Amino acid sequence: MDQEVLDWSASRVVAAIRQNKLSAQEYMRETIARIKDKEPSVRAWRCWSEPLAMEKARRVDAGAREGLLAGIPIGVKDIIDTVDYPTAYGSPIYERHQPTADAACVALLQEAGGIVLGKTVTTEFAYFQPGPTANPHDVAHTPGGSSSGSAAAVAAGMVPLALGSQTAGSLIRPASYCGVWGYKPSYGLFGLAGVRPMAQSLDTLGVLARHAEDLGLMARALIRGDRLGTNPEQPLSIGVCHGPDWAHAGDDTARALDEAARSLSRAGVKVSTLELPAPFMQLTQAQRVIQAFEAARTLTAERLAQAGQLSPSIRQLIAEGLAHSEQEYIDAQGLAAQCRQALDELFRPHDAILAPSAPGEAPSGLEATGDPIFSRLWMPLHLPCVNMPFERGAHGLPVGVQLIANYLCDGRLLGIAAWAERSLDIRVRPV
């Protein structure tokens, strides 16, 4: 067996393991060989264990083959608690922190037969201060953040699936930069017990994968469900939305959005222009206020006791949050609530919205993680979003577009993503 198996979807790997056509140990050995080959340049992992991973794969082969994720190696963002590995939240303050219980999401994935291979690099407290991870497509460029390691590990073929999270643009942006599928579910759909908080009314757990069908597989495991990701009803209607931050879109993003709309139209989708109501124009700023206000309070213990170990970017975020008045926060939350009430009417003629994922290709350098501008708008709306890897920019790096559905219409959105992957012949192979 060669490493071609690493190009398979997780769904196909699980089927092969169940049918005794592939052993979990064989698949894990190929996975580990890939990590050893790619990790020195990509640096996606904070920690991982070959003996532990192989022992868990042996247990699958010994009889635990029926789980939804049986034998699948999974990367876990290092803001998510794990018993088997330290969890540092990307901060030197917690360098030696060893959780005594798994996060709920980790427990659910393991219950489904998934194998937590290790912890992937995150930015400090899932904000802006980057770790060492590089973009597998070009290691001189950022992979994005804060789910840096998870996106890079999936893109490089080191795991087929990984957990990330998003408060502003921490999952969709790195998925776009690294050229993989990324799924940010409806707010509250995935439990956050054991996940380090940043801003409680925005934080959302998510999934990164190279195959759209695997997003639904992970979603079903994380809610113990059986419906997410089924085929969507046809014909489909999609509204193309530039949004209030379109001025930040570079030529590569504008071209990708335009070509995605044309490709969907050729595939039989009814495509039309969607204009957001006037109140939505202020949501990007509302998201900034909400995130800063809540994060400043979440980080109170660190601010009071260990401020010297916080990065300048985190200290600035805290200062901004403390400077916002209670009324500013309430007004921002009120605007978000007002806009959420308009969503049913907004989506009435559309199954999904097509919008930018990021301003363009991944910026050069590893000192910053890029601009989350095109995800901020959707976060206070609590909507499910999927990055669709679609184009290449002027420098040959990936450029994605974003599909967005109404609140709790995750099943429809995941079905549309899987349909688009097949109908538009989107193929994401390990870099």
Side-chain angles (χ1 to χ4, degrees):
M1 184 177 65
D2 58 35
Q3 288 204 344
E4 180 184 349
V5 71
L6 298 182
D7 193 24
W8 293 5
S9 70
S11 303
R12 180 179 177 184
V13 171
V14 169
I17 289 173
R18 285 178 181 166
Q19 297 163 11
N20 288 318
K21 295 179 180 178
L22 174 69
S23 78
Q25 292 171 89
E26 288 176 311
Y27 186 66
M28 187 62 75
R29 275 192 286 270
E30 295 298 336
T31 297
I32 290 170
R34 183 76 174 184
I35 293 175
K36 290 178 177 179
D37 178 45
K38 292 292 183 179
E39 177 61 7
S41 60
V42 176
R43 303 183 297 277
W45 298 91
R46 182 178 183 272
C47 55
W48 65 283
S49 170
E50 179 176 358
L52 185 57
M54 289 304 303
E55 171 57 24
K56 291 186 176 183
R58 186 196 64 77
R59 293 176 196 167
V60 172
D61 288 335
R65 294 174 176 262
E66 296 306 311
L68 195 64
L69 296 168
I72 297 299
I74 299 168
V76 174
K77 184 176 180 178
D78 193 34
I79 62 163
I80 301 170
D81 287 348
T82 47
V83 168
D84 291 333
Y85 298 99
T87 304
Y89 315 127
S91 168
I93 295 171
Y94 294 97
E95 184 66 29
R96 300 180 183 277
H97 174 56
Q98 183 65 55
T100 58
D102 285 325
C105 56
V106 170
L108 285 163
L109 295 180
Q110 293 181 144
E111 181 186 38
I115 298 172
V116 173
L117 182 51
K119 304 303 285 293
T120 56
V121 172
T122 178
T123 61
E124 179 193 25
F125 296 117
Y127 191 55
F128 281 162
Q129 185 65 28
T133 308
N135 193 313
H137 293 269
D138 184 337
V139 295
H141 290 251
T142 179
S146 61
S147 303
S148 316
S150 289
V154 170
M158 293 192 266
V159 280
L161 295 166
L163 288 178
S165 68
Q166 181 158 300
T167 304
S170 291
L171 189 138
I172 295 297
R173 181 170 86 266
S176 179
Y177 287 170
C178 291
V180 298
W181 293 88
Y183 164 48
K184 196 286 297 182
S186 294
Y187 174 79
L189 185 64
F190 295 166
L192 292 176
V195 180
R196 170 77 194 199
M198 163 64 80
Q200 69 272 8
S201 65
L202 300 170
D203 294 344
T204 310
L205 188 71
V207 179
L208 296 127
R210 287 192 308 278
H211 298 266
E213 65 176 319
D214 290 341
L215 301 177
L217 185 73
M218 280 282 275
R220 291 192 293 276
L222 286 166
I223 67 167
R224 300 186 93 249
D226 58 6
R227 296 181 58 192
L228 290 175
T230 56
N231 290 331
E233 296 180 2
Q234 300 289 342
L236 295 171
S237 176
I238 289 179
V240 180
C241 177
H242 288 175
D245 304 302
W246 182 247
H248 294 267
D251 292 343
D252 292 330
T253 285
R255 184 169 53 253
L257 192 69
D258 187 52
E259 181 55 37
R262 286 199 300 267
S263 296
L264 288 165
S265 181
R266 288 193 294 268
V269 175
K270 180 183 176 183
V271 177
S272 58
T273 299
L274 184 148
E275 298 290 342
L276 295 174
F280 285 65
M281 300 298 107
Q282 305 304 317
L283 273 177
T284 298
Q285 178 57 25
Q287 189 278 338
R288 288 190 174 100
V289 171
I290 293 167
Q291 180 176 1
F293 187 92
E294 294 181 354
R297 285 140 186 86
T298 298
L299 290 162
T300 296
E302 291 80 9
R303 171 176 62 83
L304 294 178
Q306 293 149 315
Q309 295 189 70
L310 297 174
S311 71
S313 60
I314 282 286
R315 291 200 297 270
Q316 181 181 351
L317 175 69
I318 292 171
E320 290 174 3
L322 294 177
H324 286 306
S325 68
E326 178 184 359
Q327 191 58 52
E328 286 177 296
Y329 174 71
I330 291 171
D331 289 346
Q333 288 284 24
L335 175 66
Q338 175 190 351
C339 292
R340 287 196 295 268
Q341 291 178 350
L343 289 174
D344 286 347
E345 184 63 27
L346 184 71
F347 277 98
R348 197 177 307 281
H350 305 294
D351 295 290
I353 293 171
L354 181 70
S357 289
E361 294 176 307
S364 62
L366 304 184
E367 299 79 21
T369 59
D371 190 346
I373 189 70
F374 286 112
S375 287
R376 287 188 184 276
L377 163 71
W378 309 108
M379 292 307 295
L381 296 173
H382 296 165
L383 300 178
C385 309
V386 165
N387 176 72
M388 181 167 67
F390 190 75
E391 273 285 358
R392 295 278 175 159
H395 298 94
L397 296 175
V399 179
V401 292
Q402 196 170 178
L403 291 167
I404 302 137
N406 201 358
Y407 182 63
L408 291 181
C409 292
D410 295 60
R412 179 182 298 175
L413 179 64
L414 292 171
I416 292 171
W419 171 86
E421 180 181 40
R422 296 188 303 270
S423 300
L424 306 185
D425 195 25
I426 299 172
R427 301 181 185 184
V428 179
R429 292 193 168 93
V431 181

